[in-house]
Amino acid sequence: MPRKTRTLAPAAALAVAAVLAVPVSQATHASTPPARTAADPAFDFAKPSVAASNLTVPWGLAFLPDGSALVSERNSARILQVKPGSTPTEVARLSGVQPTGEAGLLGIAVSPTYEQDGYVYAYYTSASDNRIVRFKLAASPQQQVILSGIPKNSFHDGGRIHFGPDGMLYAGTGDAGRTANAQDRNTPAGKILRMKPDGTAPADNPTPGSIVYTLGHRNVQGLAWGGGHMYASEFGNNRLDEVNHIEAGDNYGWPNFEGPGGEPTYHDPIATWATRDASPSGAAVAGDTLYAAALGGRRLWTVPLDGRGGSSGQPTAVLQGTYGRLRTVSVGPDGWLWVMTSNRDGRGQPAQTDDRIIRFPKVAR
């Protein structure tokens, strides 16, 4: 498919809460507009509320129908239930998880029909591969493997899973340290995958019988939907991290290109950052803003969206250096923005109460 770029809407740059929001010149886009608009965060970052503390390398976050959250811990293989105002409770511990480096128990998702089937889904690294399982909450749950054989490594394992608005399960994978995987349609590594809840390929996927939805990815750890569009955050190599507008069957360029400027074959990102400023993991959309949790950048990025699958202006950083490394961001059923730290993953400087989940209320307008 031809390379796509997004035209940014002209407007003046806006400032956001001077102490918490930092306009950034490093952020770039697929095309250069005459003027840019800053994101307009829908949440009040001056009013944090700690939902959980003293977690150990939390990674995935998903919500049950009662509004409580399920949190996966990468190294312990525990799944915790979090209710603001209460101590987190262990509700399951998965067997077969092999944590090494960036690998371990990663993403978690709750079945959209949970009240009928009770299924929780998890993406984890085993002794032989990365895999997706489903199970019902129990101390030692019986796990049904719905997808196995995703190449693993101690890095670039992807790991984010999320049910889309269409009821299909999406998974972001990494190239497992072998760059050629990203362009190889015969491996699930370096892809975004789309599958039915039982792990089989939907009939309307780009290639009949294949769960590969898009290719050319280095390490996808953020999946989000908003305004009828799908987005993904992706770790770059030495130059540029990315946010991409995801369209079925498209090729996002890795390892042939990093960031924008590829051949017509490849789909350009809608926003990029220097790798020192981002390392984006989880992503979420609220209104016309995409939020990306930055590990290396130790901040939360806000990207203004144009409603057509592109960016309307200049990304803005909030919470810069406030909570350290940020792994996951999600809009909870309570309407608050939930942000998860990752300071005990061996690369951070943990505070006494880390790791934490912090909630931010909507801005009063």
Side-chain angles (χ1 to χ4, degrees):
M1 296 183 69
R3 179 167 63 93
K4 302 177 181 68
T5 58
R6 307 295 174 193
T7 302
L8 308 181
L14 300 176
V16 184
V19 242
L20 294 174
V22 181
V24 222
S25 58
Q26 302 99 312
T28 60
H29 296 266
S31 57
T32 304
R36 292 174 176 168
T37 332
D40 181 17
F43 301 94
D44 191 339
F45 293 104
K47 296 180 179 178
S49 175
V50 176
S53 56
N54 299 305
L55 306 178
T56 305
V57 199
W59 209 100
L61 176 67
F63 295 95
L64 291 170
D66 66 2
S68 64
L70 294 181
V71 175
S72 59
E73 287 188 330
R74 188 183 71 185
N75 296 347
S76 70
R78 297 193 307 166
I79 295 174
L80 307 174
Q81 186 174 18
V82 172
K83 299 178 181 179
S86 302
T87 302
T89 304
E90 182 177 330
V91 290
R93 188 180 297 238
L94 300 189
S95 60
V97 177
Q98 297 286 319
T100 305
E102 299 172 4
L105 175 56
L106 304 176
I108 188 169
V110 171
S111 168
T113 54
Y114 180 86
E115 291 176 308
Q116 288 75 49
D117 58 41
Y119 279 131
V120 175
Y121 292 71
Y123 181 119
Y124 71 77
T125 311
S126 74
S128 58
D129 59 9
N130 286 308
R131 54 183 55 191
I132 299 174
V133 300
R134 68 180 179 183
F135 53 91
K136 298 182 180 182
L137 295 176
S140 299
Q142 192 166 25
Q143 301 168 196
Q144 177 189 358
V145 179
I146 66 164
L147 179 65
S148 59
I150 304 171
K152 69 166 217 171
N153 206 325
S154 59
F155 52 88
H156 297 191
D157 289 286
R160 193 69 60 186
I161 57 175
H162 204 300
F163 278 96
D166 56 3
M168 297 296 134
L169 181 63
Y170 292 77
T173 71
D175 65 12
R178 184 174 180 269
T179 58
N181 281 337
Q183 294 294 325
D184 183 352
R185 296 177 181 272
N186 296 314
T187 175
K191 310 293 190 298
I192 292 176
L193 310 175
R194 177 178 183 260
M195 66 201 81
K196 295 179 182 179
D198 63 1
T200 58
D204 58 348
N205 267 8
T207 301
S210 172
I211 60 172
V212 171
Y213 193 64
T214 60
L215 71 158
H217 299 288
R218 184 174 181 269
N219 194 20
V220 174
Q221 287 190 5
L223 301 173
W225 285 260
H229 297 277
M230 180 180 177
Y231 303 91
S233 56
E234 180 169 346
F235 290 78
N237 186 22
N238 297 317
R239 295 194 313 110
L240 296 174
D241 294 325
E242 303 176 359
V243 169
N244 286 294
H245 176 224
I246 301 302
E247 296 188 85
D250 277 11
N251 188 328
Y252 290 81
W254 177 255
N256 301 327
F257 290 92
E258 181 180 356
E263 297 174 355
T265 307
Y266 306 122
H267 193 140
D268 276 351
I270 66 170
T272 63
W273 300 276
T275 55
R276 67 181 179 274
D277 296 327
S279 300
S281 188
V285 173
D288 60 358
T289 302
L290 180 141
Y291 298 85
L295 291 162
R298 292 168 167 78
R299 66 196 76 176
L300 184 70
W301 282 105
T302 68
V303 180
L305 303 174
D306 65 6
R308 301 184 300 276
S311 170
S312 64
Q314 180 70 33
T316 304
V318 298
L319 304 180
Q320 185 167 2
T322 309
Y323 298 105
R325 292 167 60 81
L326 303 182
R327 170 69 68 184
T328 299
V329 57
S330 184
V331 180
D334 55 6
W336 292 48
L337 191 71
W338 295 50
V339 178
M340 179 188 294
T341 72
S342 188
N343 292 315
R344 295 193 180 275
D345 62 3
R347 296 178 178 177
Q349 298 175 315
Q352 186 175 358
T353 56
D354 275 336
D355 278 309
R356 290 171 284 172
I357 300 173
I358 303 102
R359 297 159 62 239
F360 300 92
K362 287 183 177 180
V363 172
R365 299 191 186 280

